[in-house]
Amino acid sequence: SGKSRDFGSRIRRFESFRPSRVVPFPLAGWCHPLVESTMLKSLAVFSGTSNPALTTEICKYLEIVPGSITVSKFSDGETFCAINENVRGVNCFVIQPTSRPVNENLMDLLIIMDALRRASAGSIIGILPYYGYARQDRKDVGRVPISAKLVANLLTVAGANRVLTVDLHAYQIQGFFDIPVDHLLAAPVFDDYIQRALRLRSDEMVIVSPDEGRIKMALAHQKKLGGGLAIVDKRRASATETRQANLIGDPLRGKIALLFDDMIATGGSIVGAAQVCAQHGARAIYAFATHAVLCGPAIDRLREAPFNEIVVTDSIPVPPPKRLPNLRILSLAPMLGEAIRRIHRNESVSALFQ
């Protein structure tokens, strides 16, 4: 009829959506170009303010361009965030370790997640290579907070559908979340460096746990690398001081001691453990720690400690003044990039460590 023709002439014609950029992405096997294009435009990696260099390396591994985002400060110190591209239905990964300044970096992360949620992102995955407040994971005295749980609540309310982190100080923090948590370990990165770069033989090294709490980590490294196993007996002298007294396990005389810990904060624990190793005759001492927090007197303590080499990761950016001559920084970008790829494609993340 005439009315139907008139209505039809008023129907607006929409062109099919074409992505403004198509970046190659490595796939295991061939797939149809249309399917591949759809997959490409459904992944975006955004950087927070705390470690943009790590985000750049991760995006290089994935062979994509970092997502366009603006994060700035108002004159009164409040954070402003704007997502500069369409993220509707996109799997958005936000990389932001909550290191110093902890509160500012945490707030930036929450605001970025809120912006993505309000922009109708398909999913929001928080990548926290370093999880701040992790050491406040329980009530050891009365009337104190469990801040690690509070941070988990904040991330969930801000819009996170999943969280990925590396070497939590306490593994039970995963239970503070009601959303999936992927907990990665830096152990494969360290073990690969020991085998390929240091080329140490198993009969000449001893894996040393700096305290009783890191025995499980030390056992995992010994299973991979071989060698002996020893534990430093750490006693707490006061609320702020610890004292390393005894060495339990295999002898260290004439051996190479490999110390493993999740972080170096003030350096008291790992430096004390190194001194015990030196007193027991170790001919070389190497320290491995995932997170280089390096606060307070850490640099002075590490400079005077008997370490041949201190090996950390780039989970936290290390400023030039803190880069000691014997400090080596390994990149987590390949491991994190592969984890992002697997999450995006709904593949197993735990297979990375099998």
Side-chain angles (χ1 to χ4, degrees):
S1 66
K3 182 177 289 188
S4 62
R5 285 195 299 270
D6 182 65
F7 177 78
S9 65
R10 286 175 169 80
I11 296 177
R12 186 178 177 184
R13 301 293 181 182
F14 288 91
E15 293 184 0
S16 60
F17 171 74
R18 295 181 181 274
S20 58
R21 57 182 179 179
V22 177
V23 186
F25 188 90
L27 296 176
W30 181 89
C31 70
H32 192 280
L34 180 59
V35 176
E36 183 175 1
S37 176
T38 302
M39 179 177 176
L40 286 169
K41 69 183 182 184
S42 64
L43 167 67
V45 177
F46 294 94
S47 177
T49 54
S50 62
N51 200 344
L54 178 59
T55 303
T56 300
E57 292 302 313
I58 290 173
C59 289
K60 285 181 180 178
Y61 177 87
L62 293 171
E63 298 184 2
I64 62 173
V65 177
S68 179
I69 184 174
T70 299
V71 181
S72 59
K73 299 292 182 183
F74 288 107
S75 57
D76 61 355
E78 293 180 357
T79 297
F80 169 77
C81 171
I83 310 300
N84 302 323
E85 60 183 72
N86 180 21
V87 294
R88 185 176 296 273
V90 174
N91 291 334
C92 296
F93 296 79
V94 186
I95 300 172
Q96 175 85 331
T98 50
S99 52
R100 295 179 67 184
V102 180
N103 295 335
E104 182 173 325
N105 286 332
L106 175 59
M107 197 65 198
D108 287 355
L109 175 60
L110 297 176
I111 291 174
I112 292 170
M113 286 183 170
D114 185 71
L116 290 169
R117 179 172 62 88
R118 296 177 188 278
S120 301
S123 64
I124 302 170
I125 300 93
I127 309 293
L128 287 76
Y130 171 72
Y131 187 96
Y133 286 103
R135 286 177 285 181
Q136 299 184 43
D137 62 323
R138 63 190 181 278
K139 287 186 66 174
D140 50 355
V141 295
R143 298 177 297 281
V144 298
I146 304 178
S147 303
K149 168 61 175 172
L150 174 61
V151 171
N153 290 344
L154 291 171
L155 291 171
T156 305
V157 171
N161 303 108
R162 176 183 291 267
V163 167
L164 184 149
T165 188
V166 181
D167 276 333
L168 286 167
H169 185 70
Y171 288 12
Q172 65 265 25
I173 291 174
Q174 299 172 76
F176 291 169
F177 288 88
D178 293 323
I179 57 176
V181 177
D182 293 300
H183 183 217
L184 305 187
L185 305 174
V189 178
F190 290 140
D191 293 344
D192 182 72
Y193 175 76
I194 292 169
Q195 292 175 328
R196 293 179 181 270
L198 299 182
R199 297 185 177 182
L200 301 179
R201 302 193 314 272
S202 60
D203 61 343
E204 63 180 350
M205 61 184 176
V206 176
I207 310 300
V208 181
S209 173
D211 55 45
E212 295 86 347
R214 296 291 139 188
I215 295 175
K216 188 174 181 180
M217 177 188 293
L219 286 170
H221 285 287
Q222 187 200 29
K223 182 178 179 181
K224 176 69 175 180
L225 300 171
L229 178 68
I231 304 162
V232 175
D233 179 23
K234 184 174 76 171
R235 306 293 176 89
R236 184 162 292 279
S238 67
T240 58
E241 293 185 14
T242 58
R243 180 174 57 88
Q244 288 78 11
N246 305 310
L247 188 73
I248 305 168
D250 291 317
L252 281 177
R253 186 161 302 279
K255 301 286 187 177
I256 299 174
L258 305 181
L259 284 158
F260 291 93
D261 210 345
D262 65 311
M263 70 173 70
I264 301 177
T266 61
S269 294
I270 203 155
V271 168
Q275 291 170 346
V276 171
C277 292
Q279 293 167 4
H280 283 76
R283 63 182 173 91
I285 303 171
Y286 291 83
F288 297 86
T290 306
H291 310 299
V293 179
L294 303 180
C295 57
I299 294 301
D300 292 334
R301 287 174 172 174
L302 293 173
R303 184 180 291 114
E304 297 171 1
F307 289 119
N308 293 70
E309 193 170 55
I310 304 163
V311 184
V312 298
T313 74
D314 57 354
S315 66
I316 299 174
V318 180
K322 294 184 178 182
R323 297 191 178 189
L324 298 172
N326 61 341
L327 180 69
R328 180 175 292 274
I329 302 173
L330 305 181
S331 179
L332 293 176
M335 181 179 72
L336 291 173
E338 182 62 21
I340 288 172
R341 186 186 70 84
R342 288 172 177 268
I343 291 171
H344 178 64
R345 297 176 61 184
N346 293 319
E347 297 178 353
S348 172
V349 175
S350 61
L352 287 170
F353 306 100
Q354 293 176 358

